[in-house]
């Protein structure tokens, strides 16, 4: 059986040069390498609701923009499976099931949750708290062997493995245990913000980004 890889982006804003150097360029290389039997590339719009639950039209528009950027960068629907997360209801269904095998303490220790909770103390939703469970469902649904992530996402993949092991212990070997696929630093694993070099370039900090082709300059 060949290897499967799954990756994607949340459509919370337009992609920037950090995405291209840190992930998109690498995805095209992986796609054309013949190393993997299946490559799933997801536009994670359900995940994006943790930031844009009050603006669904913005999410819909961003989905189109991300899809266009994928194609412009060289991702080929004949070689990679490109899809929108919410178009596959099994993501949410499996997310609920896996949530029943996830400990409250595990989620409360997630570094990204603690950081975002501090930044948005007046809007801490249950979705933000359980986001890593949905991410685990995204991965396990496709029996992915590898998940390309930045170092800041490694903790989520480790939690995904823990959940899968717990589930497998009850129901036999149901899920593949995925591994984080982190590129070396010289391959652009982490592009830093132009505004704050201590932080990664992020859509949530537009002033620190080099925008895509359509963003206003």
């Amino acid at each position: 059986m060949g290897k499967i890889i799954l990756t994607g982006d949340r459509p919370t804003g337009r992609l920037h040069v950090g995405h291209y150097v840190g992930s998109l360029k690498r995805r095209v290389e992986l796609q054309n390498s013949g190393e993997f039997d299946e490559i799933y590339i997801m536009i994670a719009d359900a995940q994006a609701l943790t930031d844009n639950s009050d603006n669904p039209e913005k999410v819909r528009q961003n989905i189109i923009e991300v899809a266009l950027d994928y194609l412009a960068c060289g991702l080929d629907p004949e070689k990679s499976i490109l899809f929108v997360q919410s178009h596959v209801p099994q993501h949410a269904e499996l997310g609920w099931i896996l949530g029943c095998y996830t400990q409250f303490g595990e989620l409360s220790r997630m570094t990204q949750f603690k950081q975002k909770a501090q930044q948005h103390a007046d809007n801490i939703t249950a979705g933000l708290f359980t986001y890593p469970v949905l991410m685990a469902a995204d991965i396990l649904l496709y029996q992915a062997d590898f998940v390309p992530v930045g170092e800041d996402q490694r903790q989520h993949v480790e939690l995904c493995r823990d959940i899968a092991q717990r589930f497998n212990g009850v129901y036999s070997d149901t899920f593949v245990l995925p591994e984080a696929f982190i590129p070396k630093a010289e391959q652009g694993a982490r592009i830093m913000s132009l505004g704050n070099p201590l932080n990664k370039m992020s859509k949530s900090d537009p002033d620190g980004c080099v925008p895509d082709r359509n963003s206003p300059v």
Side-chain angles (χ1 to χ4, degrees):
M1 182 176 178
K3 296 297 183 181
I4 298 172
I5 196 166
L6 178 136
T7 186
D9 297 285
R10 300 192 312 148
T12 54
R14 288 177 172 169
L15 302 184
H16 50 69
V17 71
H19 288 108
Y20 177 72
V21 176
S23 61
L24 295 179
K25 181 180 178 182
R26 179 61 173 160
R27 289 175 197 171
V28 175
E29 293 171 353
L30 292 173
Q31 166 192 271
N32 297 330
S33 69
E35 183 179 352
F36 298 94
D37 277 13
E38 294 178 337
I39 298 178
Y40 292 92
I41 301 177
M42 173 180 68
I43 300 177
D45 58 332
Q47 292 182 12
L49 291 176
T50 60
D51 297 293
N52 293 279
S53 60
D54 61 339
N55 195 345
E57 182 55 40
K58 179 181 178 182
V59 175
R60 283 192 286 268
Q61 184 59 40
N62 287 342
I63 289 171
I64 297 172
E65 292 291 339
V66 171
L68 291 173
D69 284 339
Y70 280 177
L71 297 175
C73 289
L75 291 173
D76 185 350
E78 297 294 326
K79 298 178 180 179
S80 298
I81 301 171
L82 312 179
F83 69 101
V84 179
Q85 181 187 27
S86 65
H87 293 186
V88 185
Q90 288 83 355
H91 286 263
E93 294 169 4
L94 182 58
W96 165 254
I97 294 171
L98 295 183
C100 296
Y101 294 89
T102 307
Q103 298 297 314
F104 182 91
E106 291 175 315
L107 294 177
S108 65
R109 290 192 293 272
M110 292 291 102
T111 301
Q112 282 204 340
F113 170 74
K114 290 188 286 188
Q115 290 175 341
K116 289 192 175 184
Q118 290 178 345
Q119 295 170 357
H120 308 286
D122 58 340
N123 186 29
I124 304 173
T125 66
L128 180 62
F129 186 68
T130 60
Y131 159 79
V133 181
L134 179 59
M135 183 176 177
D138 298 335
I139 297 167
L140 299 178
L141 188 62
Y142 297 93
Q143 301 285 36
D145 298 282
F146 299 100
V147 185
V149 293
E151 187 62 44
D152 58 329
Q153 289 281 343
R154 182 194 291 272
Q155 189 183 33
H156 286 170
V157 179
E158 292 174 348
L159 175 62
C160 176
R161 288 175 59 89
D162 291 341
I163 297 171
Q165 285 181 314
R166 193 172 297 138
F167 189 96
N168 289 351
V170 177
Y171 296 102
S172 75
D173 292 337
T174 305
F175 296 118
V176 170
L177 301 184
E179 297 180 19
F181 191 88
I182 300 177
K184 298 178 181 178
E186 61 268 20
Q187 293 176 315
R190 191 174 177 86
I191 304 299
M192 309 312 289
S193 168
L194 299 182
N196 184 350
L198 298 178
N199 295 333
K200 185 176 73 170
M201 189 177 289
S202 170
K203 296 190 293 290
S204 62
D205 178 22
D207 292 337
C209 296
V210 178
D212 77 354
R213 69 204 184 288
N214 293 320
S215 297
V217 176

CSV table of all heavy atoms in Angstrom, one decimal, residues 4-59:
chain,number,residue,atom,x,y,z
A,4,ILE,N,0.1,8.1,1.9
A,4,ILE,CA,-0.9,9.1,1.7
A,4,ILE,C,-0.5,10.3,2.5
A,4,ILE,O,0.0,10.2,3.6
A,4,ILE,CB,-2.3,8.6,2.2
A,4,ILE,CG1,-2.7,7.4,1.3
A,4,ILE,CG2,-3.3,9.8,2.1
A,4,ILE,CD1,-4.0,6.8,1.9
A,5,ILE,N,-0.7,11.5,1.9
A,5,ILE,CA,-0.3,12.8,2.5
A,5,ILE,C,-1.5,13.7,2.5
A,5,ILE,O,-2.3,13.7,1.5
A,5,ILE,CB,0.9,13.4,1.9
A,5,ILE,CG1,1.5,14.5,2.8
A,5,ILE,CG2,0.6,13.9,0.5
A,5,ILE,CD1,2.9,14.9,2.3
A,6,LEU,N,-1.8,14.4,3.5
A,6,LEU,CA,-2.9,15.4,3.6
A,6,LEU,C,-2.4,16.7,4.1
A,6,LEU,O,-1.6,16.8,5.1
A,6,LEU,CB,-4.0,14.9,4.4
A,6,LEU,CG,-5.2,15.8,4.6
A,6,LEU,CD1,-6.6,15.1,4.4
A,6,LEU,CD2,-5.2,16.6,5.9
A,7,THR,N,-2.8,17.8,3.5
A,7,THR,CA,-2.5,19.1,3.9
A,7,THR,C,-3.5,20.1,3.5
A,7,THR,O,-4.5,19.7,2.8
A,7,THR,CB,-1.1,19.5,3.4
A,7,THR,OG1,-0.7,20.8,4.0
A,7,THR,CG2,-1.1,19.6,1.9
A,8,GLY,N,-3.4,21.3,3.8
A,8,GLY,CA,-4.4,22.3,3.4
A,8,GLY,C,-4.2,23.7,4.1
A,8,GLY,O,-3.3,23.9,4.8
A,9,ASP,N,-5.2,24.6,3.8
A,9,ASP,CA,-5.1,25.9,4.4
A,9,ASP,C,-6.5,26.3,4.8
A,9,ASP,O,-7.5,25.9,4.2
A,9,ASP,CB,-4.6,26.9,3.3
A,9,ASP,CG,-3.2,26.6,2.9
A,9,ASP,OD1,-2.3,26.9,3.7
A,9,ASP,OD2,-3.0,26.1,1.8
A,10,ARG,N,-6.6,27.1,5.9
A,10,ARG,CA,-7.8,27.7,6.3
A,10,ARG,C,-8.1,29.0,5.5
A,10,ARG,O,-7.2,29.8,5.4
A,10,ARG,CB,-7.8,28.0,7.8
A,10,ARG,CG,-7.6,26.8,8.7
A,10,ARG,CD,-7.9,27.2,10.1
A,10,ARG,NE,-7.2,28.4,10.5
A,10,ARG,CZ,-7.7,29.3,11.4
A,10,ARG,NH1,-8.8,29.0,12.0
A,10,ARG,NH2,-7.0,30.4,11.7
A,11,PRO,N,-9.3,29.1,4.9
A,11,PRO,CA,-9.5,30.3,4.1
A,11,PRO,C,-9.9,31.5,4.9
A,11,PRO,O,-11.0,32.0,4.9
A,11,PRO,CB,-10.7,29.9,3.2
A,11,PRO,CG,-11.4,28.9,4.0
A,11,PRO,CD,-10.4,28.2,4.8
A,12,THR,N,-9.0,32.0,5.8
A,12,THR,CA,-9.3,33.1,6.7
A,12,THR,C,-8.8,34.4,6.1
A,12,THR,O,-8.9,35.5,6.7
A,12,THR,CB,-8.6,32.9,8.0
A,12,THR,OG1,-7.2,32.6,7.9
A,12,THR,CG2,-9.2,31.7,8.8
A,13,GLY,N,-8.2,34.4,4.9
A,13,GLY,CA,-7.6,35.5,4.3
A,13,GLY,C,-6.8,35.1,3.1
A,13,GLY,O,-6.6,33.9,2.8
A,14,ARG,N,-6.4,36.1,2.3
A,14,ARG,CA,-5.6,35.7,1.1
A,14,ARG,C,-4.3,35.2,1.5
A,14,ARG,O,-3.6,35.6,2.5
A,14,ARG,CB,-5.5,37.0,0.2
A,14,ARG,CG,-6.8,37.4,-0.5
A,14,ARG,CD,-6.7,38.6,-1.3
A,14,ARG,NE,-7.9,38.8,-2.1
A,14,ARG,CZ,-8.2,39.9,-2.7
A,14,ARG,NH1,-7.3,41.0,-2.6
A,14,ARG,NH2,-9.3,40.1,-3.4
A,15,LEU,N,-3.8,34.3,0.6
A,15,LEU,CA,-2.5,33.7,0.9
A,15,LEU,C,-1.4,34.7,0.6
A,15,LEU,O,-1.6,35.6,-0.2
A,15,LEU,CB,-2.3,32.4,0.0
A,15,LEU,CG,-3.4,31.3,0.2
A,15,LEU,CD1,-3.0,30.1,-0.6
A,15,LEU,CD2,-3.5,30.9,1.7
A,16,HIS,N,-0.2,34.5,1.2
A,16,HIS,CA,0.9,35.4,1.0
A,16,HIS,C,2.2,34.6,0.7
A,16,HIS,O,2.2,33.4,0.6
A,16,HIS,CB,1.1,36.2,2.3
A,16,HIS,CG,1.1,35.4,3.6
A,16,HIS,ND1,2.1,34.6,3.9
A,16,HIS,CD2,0.2,35.3,4.6
A,16,HIS,CE1,1.9,34.0,5.1
A,16,HIS,NE2,0.7,34.4,5.5
A,17,VAL,N,3.3,35.4,0.6
A,17,VAL,CA,4.5,34.8,0.1
A,17,VAL,C,5.0,33.7,1.1
A,17,VAL,O,5.6,32.7,0.8
A,17,VAL,CB,5.6,35.9,-0.1
A,17,VAL,CG1,6.0,36.5,1.2
A,17,VAL,CG2,6.8,35.3,-0.9
A,18,GLY,N,4.6,33.9,2.4
A,18,GLY,CA,5.0,32.9,3.4
A,18,GLY,C,4.4,31.5,3.1
A,18,GLY,O,5.0,30.5,3.3
A,19,HIS,N,3.1,31.6,2.6
A,19,HIS,CA,2.5,30.3,2.2
A,19,HIS,C,3.2,29.7,1.1
A,19,HIS,O,3.4,28.5,1.0
A,19,HIS,CB,1.0,30.6,1.9
A,19,HIS,CG,0.1,30.9,3.0
A,19,HIS,ND1,-0.4,32.2,3.2
A,19,HIS,CD2,-0.4,30.1,4.0
A,19,HIS,CE1,-1.1,32.2,4.3
A,19,HIS,NE2,-1.1,31.0,4.8
A,20,TYR,N,3.5,30.5,0.1
A,20,TYR,CA,4.2,30.0,-1.1
A,20,TYR,C,5.5,29.3,-0.8
A,20,TYR,O,5.7,28.2,-1.2
A,20,TYR,CB,4.3,31.0,-2.2
A,20,TYR,CG,5.0,30.5,-3.4
A,20,TYR,CD1,4.4,29.6,-4.3
A,20,TYR,CD2,6.4,30.8,-3.7
A,20,TYR,CE1,5.0,29.1,-5.4
A,20,TYR,CE2,7.0,30.3,-4.8
A,20,TYR,CZ,6.4,29.5,-5.6
A,20,TYR,OH,7.0,28.9,-6.7
A,21,VAL,N,6.4,30.0,-0.1
A,21,VAL,CA,7.7,29.5,0.2
A,21,VAL,C,7.6,28.4,1.2
A,21,VAL,O,8.3,27.4,1.1
A,21,VAL,CB,8.6,30.7,0.7
A,21,VAL,CG1,10.0,30.1,1.1
A,21,VAL,CG2,8.8,31.7,-0.4
A,22,GLY,N,6.7,28.6,2.2
A,22,GLY,CA,6.7,27.6,3.3
A,22,GLY,C,5.9,26.3,3.0
A,22,GLY,O,6.2,25.3,3.6
A,23,SER,N,4.9,26.4,2.1
A,23,SER,CA,4.1,25.2,1.9
A,23,SER,C,3.7,24.9,0.4
A,23,SER,O,3.9,23.8,-0.1
A,23,SER,CB,2.9,25.3,2.8
A,23,SER,OG,2.1,26.4,2.4
A,24,LEU,N,3.2,26.0,-0.3
A,24,LEU,CA,2.7,25.7,-1.6
A,24,LEU,C,3.7,25.2,-2.6
A,24,LEU,O,3.5,24.2,-3.3
A,24,LEU,CB,2.0,27.0,-2.2
A,24,LEU,CG,0.8,27.5,-1.4
A,24,LEU,CD1,0.3,28.8,-2.1
A,24,LEU,CD2,-0.3,26.5,-1.4
A,25,LYS,N,4.9,25.8,-2.6
A,25,LYS,CA,6.0,25.4,-3.5
A,25,LYS,C,6.3,23.9,-3.2
A,25,LYS,O,6.6,23.1,-4.1
A,25,LYS,CB,7.2,26.3,-3.3
A,25,LYS,CG,8.4,25.9,-4.2
A,25,LYS,CD,9.5,26.9,-4.0
A,25,LYS,CE,10.7,26.5,-4.8
A,25,LYS,NZ,11.9,27.4,-4.6
A,26,ARG,N,6.4,23.6,-1.9
A,26,ARG,CA,6.8,22.2,-1.4
A,26,ARG,C,5.7,21.2,-1.9
A,26,ARG,O,6.0,20.1,-2.3
A,26,ARG,CB,6.9,22.2,0.1
A,26,ARG,CG,7.3,20.9,0.7
A,26,ARG,CD,8.6,20.3,0.1
A,26,ARG,NE,9.0,19.1,0.8
A,26,ARG,CZ,9.8,18.2,0.3
A,26,ARG,NH1,10.4,18.4,-0.9
A,26,ARG,NH2,10.1,17.1,1.0
A,27,ARG,N,4.4,21.6,-1.8
A,27,ARG,CA,3.3,20.7,-2.2
A,27,ARG,C,3.4,20.4,-3.7
A,27,ARG,O,3.2,19.2,-4.1
A,27,ARG,CB,2.0,21.4,-1.9
A,27,ARG,CG,1.6,21.5,-0.5
A,27,ARG,CD,0.3,22.2,-0.3
A,27,ARG,NE,0.2,22.7,1.1
A,27,ARG,CZ,-0.7,23.5,1.5
A,27,ARG,NH1,-1.7,24.0,0.6
A,27,ARG,NH2,-0.8,23.9,2.8
A,28,VAL,N,3.8,21.4,-4.5
A,28,VAL,CA,3.9,21.1,-5.9
A,28,VAL,C,5.1,20.1,-6.2
A,28,VAL,O,5.0,19.2,-7.0
A,28,VAL,CB,4.2,22.4,-6.7
A,28,VAL,CG1,4.4,22.1,-8.2
A,28,VAL,CG2,3.0,23.3,-6.6
A,29,GLU,N,6.1,20.3,-5.4
A,29,GLU,CA,7.3,19.3,-5.5
A,29,GLU,C,6.9,17.9,-5.1
A,29,GLU,O,7.2,17.0,-5.8
A,29,GLU,CB,8.4,19.8,-4.7
A,29,GLU,CG,9.1,21.1,-5.1
A,29,GLU,CD,10.1,21.7,-4.2
A,29,GLU,OE1,10.2,21.2,-3.0
A,29,GLU,OE2,10.7,22.7,-4.5
A,30,LEU,N,6.1,17.8,-4.0
A,30,LEU,CA,5.7,16.5,-3.6
A,30,LEU,C,4.7,15.9,-4.6
A,30,LEU,O,4.8,14.7,-4.8
A,30,LEU,CB,5.0,16.6,-2.2
A,30,LEU,CG,5.9,17.0,-1.0
A,30,LEU,CD1,5.0,17.3,0.2
A,30,LEU,CD2,6.9,15.9,-0.7
A,31,GLN,N,3.8,16.7,-5.1
A,31,GLN,CA,2.9,16.2,-6.1
A,31,GLN,C,3.6,15.6,-7.3
A,31,GLN,O,3.2,14.6,-7.9
A,31,GLN,CB,2.0,17.4,-6.6
A,31,GLN,CG,1.2,17.2,-7.8
A,31,GLN,CD,0.6,18.5,-8.3
A,31,GLN,OE1,-0.5,18.8,-8.0
A,31,GLN,NE2,1.3,19.2,-9.2
A,32,ASN,N,4.7,16.3,-7.7
A,32,ASN,CA,5.4,15.8,-9.0
A,32,ASN,C,6.5,14.8,-8.7
A,32,ASN,O,7.1,14.3,-9.6
A,32,ASN,CB,6.0,17.0,-9.7
A,32,ASN,CG,4.9,18.0,-10.1
A,32,ASN,OD1,3.8,17.6,-10.5
A,32,ASN,ND2,5.2,19.3,-10.2
A,33,SER,N,6.7,14.5,-7.4
A,33,SER,CA,7.8,13.6,-7.1
A,33,SER,C,7.4,12.1,-7.3
A,33,SER,O,8.3,11.3,-7.5
A,33,SER,CB,8.2,13.7,-5.6
A,33,SER,OG,7.2,13.3,-4.8
A,34,GLY,N,6.2,11.8,-7.3
A,34,GLY,CA,5.8,10.4,-7.5
A,34,GLY,C,6.0,9.6,-6.2
A,34,GLY,O,5.8,8.4,-6.2
A,35,GLU,N,6.3,10.3,-5.1
A,35,GLU,CA,6.6,9.6,-3.8
A,35,GLU,C,5.4,9.1,-3.1
A,35,GLU,O,5.4,8.1,-2.3
A,35,GLU,CB,7.4,10.6,-2.9
A,35,GLU,CG,7.8,10.0,-1.6
A,35,GLU,CD,8.6,11.1,-0.8
A,35,GLU,OE1,8.9,12.2,-1.3
A,35,GLU,OE2,8.9,10.8,0.4
A,36,PHE,N,4.2,9.8,-3.4
A,36,PHE,CA,3.0,9.4,-2.7
A,36,PHE,C,2.0,8.9,-3.6
A,36,PHE,O,1.8,9.4,-4.8
A,36,PHE,CB,2.5,10.6,-1.9
A,36,PHE,CG,3.4,11.1,-0.9
A,36,PHE,CD1,4.3,12.2,-1.1
A,36,PHE,CD2,3.4,10.6,0.4
A,36,PHE,CE1,5.2,12.6,-0.2
A,36,PHE,CE2,4.3,11.0,1.4
A,36,PHE,CZ,5.2,12.0,1.1
A,37,ASP,N,1.2,7.9,-3.2
A,37,ASP,CA,0.1,7.4,-4.0
A,37,ASP,C,-1.1,8.4,-4.1
A,37,ASP,O,-1.7,8.5,-5.1
A,37,ASP,CB,-0.4,6.1,-3.5
A,37,ASP,CG,0.5,4.9,-3.9
A,37,ASP,OD1,1.5,5.2,-4.5
A,37,ASP,OD2,0.0,3.7,-3.8
A,38,GLU,N,-1.4,9.0,-3.0
A,38,GLU,CA,-2.5,10.0,-2.9
A,38,GLU,C,-2.1,11.2,-2.2
A,38,GLU,O,-1.5,11.1,-1.1
A,38,GLU,CB,-3.7,9.3,-2.3
A,38,GLU,CG,-4.3,8.2,-3.1
A,38,GLU,CD,-5.5,7.6,-2.3
A,38,GLU,OE1,-5.6,7.7,-1.1
A,38,GLU,OE2,-6.3,6.9,-3.0
A,39,ILE,N,-2.4,12.4,-2.7
A,39,ILE,CA,-2.1,13.7,-2.1
A,39,ILE,C,-3.5,14.4,-2.0
A,39,ILE,O,-4.1,14.8,-3.0
A,39,ILE,CB,-1.1,14.5,-2.9
A,39,ILE,CG1,0.2,13.8,-2.9
A,39,ILE,CG2,-0.9,15.9,-2.2
A,39,ILE,CD1,1.3,14.5,-3.7
A,40,TYR,N,-3.9,14.6,-0.7
A,40,TYR,CA,-5.1,15.4,-0.5
A,40,TYR,C,-4.8,16.8,0.0
A,40,TYR,O,-4.0,17.0,0.9
A,40,TYR,CB,-6.0,14.7,0.6
A,40,TYR,CG,-6.5,13.3,0.2
A,40,TYR,CD1,-5.8,12.2,0.5
A,40,TYR,CD2,-7.8,13.2,-0.4
A,40,TYR,CE1,-6.3,10.9,0.1
A,40,TYR,CE2,-8.3,12.0,-0.8
A,40,TYR,CZ,-7.5,10.8,-0.5
A,40,TYR,OH,-8.0,9.6,-0.9
A,41,ILE,N,-5.4,17.8,-0.7
A,41,ILE,CA,-5.1,19.2,-0.4
A,41,ILE,C,-6.5,19.8,-0.1
A,41,ILE,O,-7.3,19.9,-1.0
A,41,ILE,CB,-4.3,19.9,-1.5
A,41,ILE,CG1,-3.0,19.1,-1.7
A,41,ILE,CG2,-4.1,21.3,-1.1
A,41,ILE,CD1,-2.1,19.7,-2.8
A,42,MET,N,-6.7,20.2,1.1
A,42,MET,CA,-8.0,20.6,1.6
A,42,MET,C,-8.1,22.2,1.8
A,42,MET,O,-7.1,22.7,2.4
A,42,MET,CB,-8.3,19.9,2.9
A,42,MET,CG,-9.5,20.3,3.6
A,42,MET,SD,-9.8,19.3,5.1
A,42,MET,CE,-8.4,19.9,6.1
A,43,ILE,N,-9.2,22.8,1.4
A,43,ILE,CA,-9.5,24.1,1.8
A,43,ILE,C,-10.4,24.0,3.1
A,43,ILE,O,-11.5,23.6,3.0
A,43,ILE,CB,-10.2,24.9,0.7
A,43,ILE,CG1,-9.3,25.0,-0.5
A,43,ILE,CG2,-10.5,26.3,1.2
A,43,ILE,CD1,-9.9,25.7,-1.7
A,44,ALA,N,-9.8,24.3,4.2
A,44,ALA,CA,-10.4,23.9,5.5
A,44,ALA,C,-11.4,25.0,6.0
A,44,ALA,O,-11.1,25.8,6.9
A,44,ALA,CB,-9.3,23.7,6.5
A,45,ASP,N,-12.5,25.1,5.3
A,45,ASP,CA,-13.4,26.2,5.6
A,45,ASP,C,-14.2,26.0,6.9
A,45,ASP,O,-14.5,27.0,7.6
A,45,ASP,CB,-14.4,26.4,4.4
A,45,ASP,CG,-15.2,25.2,4.1
A,45,ASP,OD1,-14.7,24.1,4.4
A,45,ASP,OD2,-16.4,25.3,3.6
A,46,ALA,N,-14.4,24.8,7.3
A,46,ALA,CA,-15.0,24.6,8.6
A,46,ALA,C,-14.1,25.0,9.7
A,46,ALA,O,-14.6,25.6,10.7
A,46,ALA,CB,-15.4,23.1,8.8
A,47,GLN,N,-12.8,24.8,9.6
A,47,GLN,CA,-11.9,25.3,10.6
A,47,GLN,C,-11.8,26.8,10.6
A,47,GLN,O,-11.6,27.4,11.7
A,47,GLN,CB,-10.5,24.8,10.2
A,47,GLN,CG,-10.3,23.3,10.4
A,47,GLN,CD,-8.8,22.9,10.1
A,47,GLN,OE1,-7.9,23.7,10.0
A,47,GLN,NE2,-8.6,21.6,10.0
A,48,ALA,N,-12.1,27.4,9.5
A,48,ALA,CA,-12.0,28.9,9.4
A,48,ALA,C,-13.1,29.6,10.2
A,48,ALA,O,-13.0,30.8,10.5
A,48,ALA,CB,-12.1,29.4,7.9
A,49,LEU,N,-14.2,28.9,10.6
A,49,LEU,CA,-15.3,29.4,11.3
A,49,LEU,C,-14.8,29.9,12.7
A,49,LEU,O,-15.5,30.7,13.3
A,49,LEU,CB,-16.4,28.5,11.4
A,49,LEU,CG,-17.2,28.2,10.1
A,49,LEU,CD1,-18.2,27.1,10.3
A,49,LEU,CD2,-17.8,29.4,9.6
A,50,THR,N,-13.7,29.3,13.2
A,50,THR,CA,-13.2,29.8,14.5
A,50,THR,C,-12.8,31.3,14.5
A,50,THR,O,-12.8,31.9,15.5
A,50,THR,CB,-12.0,29.0,15.0
A,50,THR,OG1,-11.0,29.1,14.1
A,50,THR,CG2,-12.4,27.5,15.1
A,51,ASP,N,-12.5,31.8,13.3
A,51,ASP,CA,-12.1,33.2,13.2
A,51,ASP,C,-13.2,34.0,12.4
A,51,ASP,O,-13.2,35.3,12.6
A,51,ASP,CB,-10.8,33.3,12.4
A,51,ASP,CG,-9.7,32.7,13.1
A,51,ASP,OD1,-9.3,33.2,14.1
A,51,ASP,OD2,-9.2,31.6,12.6
A,52,ASN,N,-14.1,33.4,11.7
A,52,ASN,CA,-15.0,34.2,10.8
A,52,ASN,C,-16.4,33.7,10.9
A,52,ASN,O,-17.2,33.7,9.9
A,52,ASN,CB,-14.5,34.0,9.3
A,52,ASN,CG,-13.2,34.8,9.1
A,52,ASN,OD1,-13.2,36.0,8.9
A,52,ASN,ND2,-12.1,34.0,9.1
A,53,SER,N,-16.9,33.2,12.1
A,53,SER,CA,-18.2,32.7,12.3
A,53,SER,C,-19.3,33.8,12.0
A,53,SER,O,-20.4,33.5,11.7
A,53,SER,CB,-18.4,32.2,13.7
A,53,SER,OG,-18.2,33.2,14.6
A,54,ASP,N,-18.9,35.1,12.1
A,54,ASP,CA,-19.8,36.2,11.8
A,54,ASP,C,-19.8,36.7,10.4
A,54,ASP,O,-20.5,37.7,10.1
A,54,ASP,CB,-19.6,37.3,12.8
A,54,ASP,CG,-18.2,37.9,12.7
A,54,ASP,OD1,-17.3,37.2,12.1
A,54,ASP,OD2,-17.9,39.0,13.1
A,55,ASN,N,-19.0,36.1,9.6
A,55,ASN,CA,-18.8,36.6,8.2
A,55,ASN,C,-18.7,35.5,7.2
A,55,ASN,O,-17.7,35.3,6.6
A,55,ASN,CB,-17.6,37.5,8.1
A,55,ASN,CG,-17.6,38.4,6.9
A,55,ASN,OD1,-18.4,38.1,5.9
A,55,ASN,ND2,-16.8,39.4,6.8
A,56,PRO,N,-19.8,34.7,7.0
A,56,PRO,CA,-19.7,33.5,6.1
A,56,PRO,C,-19.4,33.9,4.6
A,56,PRO,O,-18.8,33.2,3.9
A,56,PRO,CB,-21.1,32.9,6.2
A,56,PRO,CG,-22.0,34.0,6.7
A,56,PRO,CD,-21.1,34.8,7.6
A,57,GLU,N,-19.9,35.1,4.2
A,57,GLU,CA,-19.6,35.6,2.8
A,57,GLU,C,-18.1,35.7,2.6
A,57,GLU,O,-17.6,35.4,1.5
A,57,GLU,CB,-20.3,36.9,2.5
A,57,GLU,CG,-20.2,37.4,1.1
A,57,GLU,CD,-20.5,36.3,0.1
A,57,GLU,OE1,-21.5,35.6,0.3
A,57,GLU,OE2,-19.8,36.2,-0.9
A,58,LYS,N,-17.4,36.2,3.6
A,58,LYS,CA,-15.9,36.4,3.5
A,58,LYS,C,-15.3,35.0,3.4
A,58,LYS,O,-14.4,34.9,2.5
A,58,LYS,CB,-15.4,37.1,4.7
A,58,LYS,CG,-13.9,37.3,4.7
A,58,LYS,CD,-13.4,38.0,6.0
A,58,LYS,CE,-11.9,38.1,6.0
A,58,LYS,NZ,-11.4,38.8,7.3
A,59,VAL,N,-15.8,34.0,4.1
A,59,VAL,CA,-15.2,32.7,4.0
A,59,VAL,C,-15.4,32.1,2.6
A,59,VAL,O,-14.5,31.6,2.0
A,59,VAL,CB,-15.8,31.8,5.1
A,59,VAL,CG1,-15.3,30.3,4.9
A,59,VAL,CG2,-15.4,32.2,6.5
